[in-house]
């Protein structure tokens, strides 16, 4: 049964040279372990003493929530117009601890706790952005930002254009999305599907502690409105982070693994699902190229087309639903622009068009699992070069 | 025993407060002039209006009326697609604008063109916007009357109702953070005040202490919905205190009262670094827009009665009492304003449209690859089929 294979393992994301993680630490909690729903929805996934696990060595390793926090701290120190607004971001430090302790340093006015009204504080962010600030608006869960859709699409995305370029909206809208651990349908949404058509916004999805910090810094410095997707299950992912001057290009994809057989496009948590599948595929003699999209809008067509031209096969792995997801758009673009460079139609692995159920097994069945990725590669590539497929 | 939700007195009476039980008193309406424009004795007038100010307010209102009349007719003749007048509310817009400073950031709904005209937007600027031509500061992107001017601190109007209210709170918060002695002034109608954003903005402005002057134009009608079907409480001013926002009701057709009320509102908002709410009671004398015929749902007698209380006429009488106005001046001013409005339309009609290439600029700071590709596609198509490019529209 495919659940048991993955239940036995804990994915070590730092590669073969890293040491063992601290005993109590699980870098990628798979969704099929038994979670404490309280800890994920309200207080954040981990205990608060993470600072002690930071090594004093030259290369710094942080968990993603810490690396996001560091990005926020550095940018707020560097630029006094940067501020954060949302529910429980001030005294409480944020539901996922991304602004933990910053309130003491920057005060009430720059870490603004708002009443509960997503459209209200989103509109507030738009107004503040047009009046010279660089606000970061935090949605406690990306799904709640459906309430803010009016402000995001009609105003945040459009006002720079409709004002004839007179007013700019340099905002970052960020928060955790995606499927967590048995959080139920309303807390498990993939808002990137709904936001992708809004003209005037950029969509970025982070996946590692390093790119999370570097991309958040770049997003804060950008004059465009950026919708910045974090994932509920990745806040404890640990990794090396760079220093205060390091930013990453918001429009560029990351090559996670170079290969020749097939291009696998993914983003956010699916990067880890794909890399889990890659372990199996490597054993079987396959050589997949894995590309983390990072920029969901606009797509990095330079990296994407270079990869497809090399491998001539493409698989898209996403958490979005089949209908109208990021994969649907990407599949269309790849077919249109790279038709003659493809030996196989683009295969899309997505969630089904169903609300995400609470029950453990149903939730696991709705998300793309590593085994599905392995099977898709078998289908698209056929037998790996030089190895008889059994 | 104090509750975290509030320090409240106790009672052994089970008694309801509100309509049908123990009513709260209706908030009275502050005014300085009667319905004919005669000044009322004993009015508290903390802010004086001298002749220069009065003349400028008057001329702006006359110009506004001329633009509204002429541009409405222009739409009927098919010269542009849409127009909205502010007939009956000229004093609400102009007198309130006169009481604000140029540094105050203004957010409006769509019937406050008098505010923009006070600040210096000319009939020609308005005509360019309505025609959506190459001289429009909005580059032809927004529908008519959706003006915007960064230079005049007037935010580009966005059609969905009430979205500007939380934005005004954000702007006020920014002004406060930057230590500026300025407020955000936010205009909206009584219908828009039913939107969720109104409640969010009032609540946020009070809890976060943002210096916003909220100005509600209660003109009695939201397209065909009368105020009696829009709310059951004591109008919009009645809601303010419940959110912790000091509130005042004022006669919107009384320019002297509006001026004093807004000047005081601004002073209070800055002093307390917090919000205030004004409800200007008036009447929408015109149709909702050129897409509406209000005689379908309003009695002719009602409309005639309110036209007789024209705010500009009331102000004329107030000025006349001071010797600052006479019939001849009025006629002359109106003739000049008409000429200017007609000339503005004629000039705007002659301007070319913005070029097709402007379709792709300002979506982002720089066009990303997919927009560059889409632009190339559109331009290639137009070069191959030049007859598809509308007359008067350059390619770039």
């Amino acid at each position: 049964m495919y659940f048991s294979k993955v239940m036995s393992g804990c994915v070590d994301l730092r590669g073969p040279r890293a040491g063992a993680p601290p005993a109590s630490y699980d870098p990628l909690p798979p969704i099929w372990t038994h979670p404490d729903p309280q800890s994920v929805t309200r207080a954040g996934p981990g205990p608060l003493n993470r600072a002690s696990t930071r090594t004093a060595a030259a290369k710094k390793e942080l968990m993603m929530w810490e690396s996001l926090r560091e990005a926020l701290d550095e940018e707020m120190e560097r630029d006094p117009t940067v501020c954060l607004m949302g529910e429980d971001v001030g005294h409480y430090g944020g539901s996922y601890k991304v602004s933990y302790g910053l309130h003491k340093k920057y005060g009430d006015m720059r870490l603004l706790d708002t009443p509960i009204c997503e459209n209200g504080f989103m509109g507030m962010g738009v107004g503040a952005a047009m009046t010279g600030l660089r606000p970061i608006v935090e949605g406690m869960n990306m799904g709640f930002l459906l309430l803010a859709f009016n402000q995001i699409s009609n105003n945040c995305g459009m006002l720079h254009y409709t004002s004839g370029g007179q007013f700019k909206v340099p905002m970052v809208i960020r928060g955790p999305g995606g499927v967590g651990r048995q959080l139920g349908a309303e807390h498990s949404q993939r808002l990137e599907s709904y936001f992708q058509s809004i003209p005037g916004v950029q969509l970025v999805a982070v996946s590692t502690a390093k790119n999370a910090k570097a991309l958040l810094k770049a997003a804060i410095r950008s004059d465009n409105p950026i919708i910045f997707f974090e994932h509920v299950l990745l806040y404890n992912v640990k990794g090396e982070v760079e220093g205060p001057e390091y930013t990453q290009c918001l429009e560029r994809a990351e090559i996670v693994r170079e290969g020749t057989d097939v291009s696998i496009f993914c983003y956010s948590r699916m990067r880890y699902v794909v890399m889990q599948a890659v372990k199996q595929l490597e054993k079987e003699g396959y050589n997949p190229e894995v590309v983390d999209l990072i920029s969901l809008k606009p797509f990095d067509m330079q990296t994407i087309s270079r990869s497809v031209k090399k491998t001539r096969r493409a698989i898209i792995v996403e958490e979005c639903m089949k209908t109208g997801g990021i994969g649907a758009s990407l599949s269309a673009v790849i077919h249109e622009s790279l038709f003659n460079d493809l030996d196989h139609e683009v295969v899309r692995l997505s969630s089904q068009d169903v609300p995400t159920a609470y029950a453990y097994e149903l939730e696991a069945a709705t998300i793309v699992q590593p085994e599905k990725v392995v099977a898709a590669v078998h289908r698209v590539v056929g037998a790996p070069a030089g190895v008889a497929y059994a | 025993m104090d509750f975290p939700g509030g320090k409240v007195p106790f009672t052994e009476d089970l008694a309801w407060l509100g309509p049908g039980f123990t009513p709260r008193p209706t908030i009275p309406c502050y005014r300085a002039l009667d319905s004919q424009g005669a000044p009322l004795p004993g009015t508290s007038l903390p802010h004086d209006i001298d002749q220069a100010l009065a003349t400028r307010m008057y001329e702006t209102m006359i110009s506004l009326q001329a633009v509204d009349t002429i541009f409405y007719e222009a739409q009927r003749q098919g010269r542009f697609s849409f127009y909205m007048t502010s007939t009956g509310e000229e004093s609400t817009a102009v007198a309130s604008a006169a009481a604000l400073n140029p540094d105050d950031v203004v957010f409006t709904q769509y019937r406050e063109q008098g505010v923009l005209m006070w600040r210096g937007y000319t009939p020609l600027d308005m005509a360019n916007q309505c025609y959506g031509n190459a001289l429009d500061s909005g580059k032809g992107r927004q529908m008519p009357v959706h003006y915007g001017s960064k230079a005049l601190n007037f935010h580009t109007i966005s059609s969905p109702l009430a979205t500007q209210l939380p934005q005004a709170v954000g702007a006020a918060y920014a002004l406060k953070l930057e230590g500026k002695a300025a407020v955000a002034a936010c205009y909206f109608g009584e219908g828009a005040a039913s939107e969720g954003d109104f409640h969010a903005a009032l609540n946020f402005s009070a809890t976060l202490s943002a210096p916003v002057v909220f100005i509600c134009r209660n003109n009695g009608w939201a397209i065909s919905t009368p105020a009696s079907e829009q709310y059951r409480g004591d109008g919009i001013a009645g809601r303010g205190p419940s959110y912790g926002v000091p509130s005042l009701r004022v006669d919107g057709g009384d320019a002297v009262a509006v001026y004093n009320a807004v000047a005081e509102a601004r002073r209070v908002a800055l002093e307390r670094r917090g919000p205030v709410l004004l409800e200007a009671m008036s009447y929408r004398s015109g149709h909702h827009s050129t897409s509406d015929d209000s005689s379908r749902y309003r009695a002719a007698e009602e409309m005639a009665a309110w036209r007789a209380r024209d705010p500009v006429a009331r102000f004329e009488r107030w000025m006349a009492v001071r010797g600052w106005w006479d019939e001849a001046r009025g006629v002359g001013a109106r003739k000049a304003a008409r000429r200017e409005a007609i000339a503005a339309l004629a000039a705007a009609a002659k301007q070319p449209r913005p070029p097709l290439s402007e379709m792709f600029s300002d979506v982002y700071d720089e066009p990303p690859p997919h927009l560059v590709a889409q632009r190339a596609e559109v331009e290639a198509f137009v070069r191959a089929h030049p007859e598809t490019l509308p007359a008067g529209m350059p390619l770039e």
Side-chain angles (χ1 to χ4, degrees):
Chain A
M1 184 66 240
Y2 72 87
F3 297 137
S4 57
K5 257 203 213 170
V6 193
M7 274 166 94
S8 61
C10 167
V11 179
D12 187 337
L13 311 162
R14 290 162 301 166
R17 64 166 178 79
S24 60
Y25 171 60
D26 180 352
L28 176 57
I31 66 167
W32 41 85
T33 56
H34 296 279
D36 168 13
Q38 293 304 314
S39 70
V40 178
T41 50
R42 287 294 295 161
L48 305 178
N49 58 348
R50 282 296 153 196
S52 59
T53 67
R54 239 187 272 174
T55 65
K59 274 292 182 185
K60 196 163 60 168
E61 277 210 347
L62 294 178
M63 282 190 277
M64 191 189 282
W65 70 268
E66 294 176 309
S67 77
L68 289 165
R69 182 189 173 282
E70 196 166 84
L72 203 53
D73 192 4
E74 287 170 6
E75 294 304 300
M76 286 182 79
E77 185 156 337
R78 177 182 177 272
D79 181 351
T81 66
V82 177
C83 54
L84 177 68
M85 52 184 75
E87 296 153 15
D88 302 301
V89 301
H91 304 271
Y92 192 67
S95 295
Y96 291 90
K97 297 285 167 262
V98 172
S99 52
Y100 184 69
L102 296 183
H103 175 257
K104 281 202 201 82
K105 184 172 174 185
Y106 296 106
D108 276 341
M109 287 295 288
R110 294 184 70 194
L111 270 295
L112 200 59
D113 277 324
T114 66
I116 306 174
C117 184
E118 280 71 14
N119 210 36
F121 60 72
M122 192 62 65
M124 195 173 158
V126 172
M130 294 194 291
T131 316
L133 296 186
R134 289 188 169 270
I136 302 154
V137 179
E138 175 174 313
M140 192 183 283
N141 185 288
M142 275 303 202
F144 305 160
L145 297 187
L146 286 170
L147 288 148
F149 212 107
N150 190 16
Q151 290 283 356
I152 294 171
S153 72
N154 283 320
N155 295 320
C156 176
M158 293 194 195
L159 272 166
H160 187 240
Y161 186 81
T162 58
S163 70
Q166 295 182 86
F167 295 99
K168 65 178 186 184
V169 190
M171 290 174 70
V172 177
I173 299 167
R174 49 161 291 274
V179 178
R181 289 179 289 179
Q182 293 191 263
L183 299 178
E186 296 90 352
H187 287 94
S188 309
Q189 307 210 59
R190 283 75 85 187
L191 270 274
E192 58 272 25
S193 292
Y194 308 143
F195 288 144
Q196 64 176 319
S197 275
I198 300 173
V201 298
Q202 278 182 247
L203 270 53
V204 169
V206 301
S207 48
T208 65
K210 178 173 170 174
N211 67 32
K213 180 182 176 186
L215 289 165
L216 184 55
K217 290 167 74 73
I220 292 167
R221 297 182 194 188
S222 168
D223 275 351
N224 294 317
I226 314 282
I227 308 183
F228 191 89
F229 290 89
E230 299 152 18
H231 195 287
V232 276
L233 292 181
L234 296 184
Y235 283 115
N236 276 7
V237 161
K238 215 172 189 185
E240 276 171 13
V241 301
E242 299 287 344
E245 285 319 307
Y246 183 83
T247 61
Q248 188 167 322
C249 177
L250 293 164
E251 297 90 16
R252 195 158 305 135
E254 271 180 31
I255 306 283
V256 185
R257 182 190 189 282
E258 280 190 22
T260 52
D261 290 348
V262 59
S263 301
I264 307 179
F265 299 105
C266 55
Y267 65 92
S268 190
R269 189 177 163 273
M270 286 294 123
R271 171 184 175 138
Y272 299 99
V273 170
V274 169
M275 291 311 288
Q276 179 100 349
V278 161
K279 285 185 167 171
Q280 174 66 20
L281 290 166
E282 280 171 344
K283 283 194 204 124
E284 295 172 357
Y286 289 93
N287 187 25
E289 178 149 289
V290 179
V291 178
D292 185 337
L293 293 170
I294 302 290
S295 180
L296 306 183
K297 178 173 173 149
F299 291 133
D300 176 4
M301 285 314 294
Q302 200 175 42
T303 305
I304 292 168
S305 65
R306 199 183 309 129
S307 181
V308 172
K309 282 181 165 145
K310 181 168 54 161
T311 66
R312 304 187 65 83
R313 288 168 175 82
I315 295 173
I316 301 169
V317 180
E318 59 174 350
E319 261 188 40
C320 290
M321 286 146 185
K322 201 64 154 188
T323 300
I326 297 293
S329 295
L330 183 58
S331 176
V333 167
I334 293 175
H335 282 121
E336 281 165 1
S337 58
L338 296 159
F339 189 72
N340 292 314
D341 297 293
L342 287 169
D343 287 343
H344 194 285
E345 72 270 16
V346 175
V347 167
R348 242 188 326 152
L349 300 179
S350 322
S351 299
Q352 306 83 0
D353 288 318
V354 299
T356 310
Y358 160 82
Y360 180 97
E361 292 80 5
L362 290 176
E363 184 183 63
T366 201
I367 305 298
V368 178
Q369 302 296 348
E371 287 72 18
K372 276 220 168 97
V373 180
V374 169
V377 171
H378 289 171
R379 178 155 65 99
V380 165
V381 178
V387 173
Y389 175 63
Chain B
M1 188 167 110
D2 293 340
F3 294 105
K7 191 170 176 174
V8 297
F10 282 101
T11 176
E12 280 67 56
D13 285 336
L14 198 169
W16 297 100
L17 180 66
F21 295 90
T22 310
R24 278 173 162 184
T26 304
I27 296 175
C29 184
Y30 165 69
R31 63 172 181 170
L33 311 176
D34 69 14
S35 64
Q36 299 310 302
L40 291 156
T43 307
S44 125
L45 293 167
H47 301 273
D48 186 46
I49 303 173
D50 65 18
Q51 185 174 11
L53 182 61
T55 304
R56 189 178 159 200
M57 281 166 63
Y58 177 69
E59 285 172 355
T60 308
M61 289 196 281
I62 291 293
S63 180
L64 169 60
Q65 285 192 324
V67 166
D68 273 353
T69 308
I70 307 260
F71 284 29
Y72 184 92
E73 290 307 317
Q75 191 279 344
R76 284 353 241 152
Q77 293 161 16
R79 295 169 82 173
F80 40 80
S81 65
F82 183 79
Y83 192 75
M84 297 176 98
T85 62
S86 55
T87 317
E89 301 179 69
E90 299 87 343
S91 48
T92 310
V94 173
S96 62
L100 296 171
N101 276 20
D103 283 346
D104 295 330
V105 174
V106 169
F107 290 83
T108 59
Q109 183 164 309
Y110 49 51
R111 215 180 287 285
E112 300 87 357
Q113 54 268 41
V115 176
L116 192 51
M117 291 179 84
W118 174 267
R119 288 188 160 197
Y121 210 66
T122 64
L124 181 57
D125 292 327
M126 295 166 81
N128 286 332
Q129 197 280 335
C130 288
Y131 271 100
N133 65 29
L135 295 183
D136 170 25
S137 49
K139 298 185 188 174
R141 271 113 183 228
Q142 255 298 12
M143 59 187 291
V145 312
H146 287 56
Y147 310 108
S149 169
K150 190 172 165 81
L152 300 178
N153 259 329
F154 186 98
H155 275 268
T156 300
I157 293 168
S158 160
S159 306
L161 293 178
T163 54
Q164 72 275 20
L165 276 89
Q167 290 171 19
V169 177
Y173 160 74
L175 292 171
K176 192 170 156 181
L177 201 62
E178 291 160 356
K180 294 197 177 134
V183 299
C186 185
Y187 295 79
F188 53 98
E190 86 288 348
S194 291
E195 287 280 359
D197 276 2
F198 165 86
H199 304 275
L202 271 265
N203 192 28
F204 276 50
S205 69
T207 54
L208 306 175
S209 219
V212 188
V213 174
F214 290 105
I215 301 173
C216 176
R217 296 178 295 95
N218 188 334
N219 62 19
W221 291 92
I223 307 187
S224 69
T225 307
S228 57
E229 287 171 22
Q230 195 67 249
Y231 52 74
R232 287 295 144 80
D234 180 13
I236 310 311
R239 297 177 192 169
S242 307
Y243 285 113
V245 179
S247 308
L248 176 69
R249 179 168 275 149
V250 62
D251 179 348
D254 177 343
V256 177
V258 170
Y259 179 82
N260 273 273
V262 174
E264 273 299 286
R266 185 180 187 278
R267 188 186 65 74
V268 169
L270 279 176
E271 212 169 83
R272 294 158 129 240
R273 293 160 72 73
V276 289
L277 171 64
L278 280 169
E279 183 181 18
M281 311 298 289
S282 61
Y283 186 81
R284 195 197 77 208
S285 273
H287 306 303
H288 165 70
S289 72
T290 47
S291 308
D292 173 48
D293 173 10
S294 57
S295 63
R296 286 164 50 205
Y297 51 81
R298 297 198 289 190
E301 299 80 30
E302 177 190 296
M303 292 166 70
W306 278 98
R307 278 191 198 275
R309 295 181 195 164
D310 174 33
V312 181
R314 288 166 79 186
F315 195 60
E316 281 171 348
R317 269 168 230 130
W318 177 82
M319 285 179 77
V321 160
R322 282 165 160 68
W324 297 341
W325 183 90
D326 59 44
E327 190 72 44
R329 276 194 70 189
V331 168
R334 286 178 201 277
K335 274 204 179 120
R338 266 190 78 86
R339 268 196 307 270
E340 188 182 3
I342 290 168
L345 282 180
K350 293 199 189 89
Q351 293 298 328
R353 292 283 184 265
L356 189 60
S357 56
E358 286 285 20
M359 188 163 107
F360 296 95
S361 58
D362 306 317
V363 180
Y364 298 97
D365 51 3
E366 298 296 333
H370 69 292
L371 284 188
V372 170
Q374 287 173 18
R375 175 181 156 168
E377 200 182 313
V378 168
E379 289 178 351
F381 184 86
V382 164
R383 288 204 171 91
H385 306 273
E387 71 283 2
T388 59
L389 189 64
M393 174 180 243
L395 189 55
E396 49 200 341

